[in-house]
Amino acid sequence: MLALTKSAGRELATSGVLVNVAAPAVIATPMNENTAPEVLERLTGLIPMRRTGRPEEVAEPVAFLASDRVSFSTGAVYDISGGRATC
């Protein structure tokens, strides 16, 4: 996904099409409501902030990326992982 984003961002850079991606860690959504507590504990243990993300913590950056305020960003990966990418 990362390579595709960077490649498509470069290829489409002069077309007016922006290609960016949000890369979240585990987010507290209904999808994870039935995840075993020990699994969530293991996953959040890999996140430097030691917690799951909140839906609004993903929604805000994604809304920004979809807005008219973003016009000079393409091929970018926006890490929304509580620091996971730093490990």
Side-chain angles (χ1 to χ4, degrees), residues 25-26 39-51 81-87:
V26 179
V39 172
L40 280 178
E41 185 177 324
R42 183 177 59 78
L43 293 172
T44 56
L46 299 171
I47 299 170
M49 288 187 168
R50 299 288 189 252
R51 66 175 180 85
S81 67
R84 179 186 61 196
T86 63
C87 296

Side-chain angles (χ1 to χ4, degrees), residues 2-79:
L2 303 179
L4 176 62
T5 301
K6 294 192 175 297
S7 177
R10 175 177 235 156
E11 185 70 26
L12 298 169
T14 59
S15 72
V17 175
L18 303 177
V19 182
N20 297 299
V21 68
V26 179
I27 305 301
T29 64
M31 182 178 84
N32 289 313
E33 284 178 355
N34 296 320
T35 303
E38 61 273 10
V39 172
L40 280 178
E41 185 177 324
R42 183 177 59 78
L43 293 172
T44 56
L46 299 171
I47 299 170
M49 288 187 168
R50 299 288 189 252
R51 66 175 180 85
T52 58
R54 296 184 308 271
E56 61 272 18
E57 291 174 310
V58 176
E60 286 293 327
V62 169
F64 171 71
L65 289 173
S67 76
D68 290 336
R69 295 178 294 166
V70 176
S71 60
F72 198 62
S73 176
T74 191
V77 178
Y78 289 83
D79 180 70

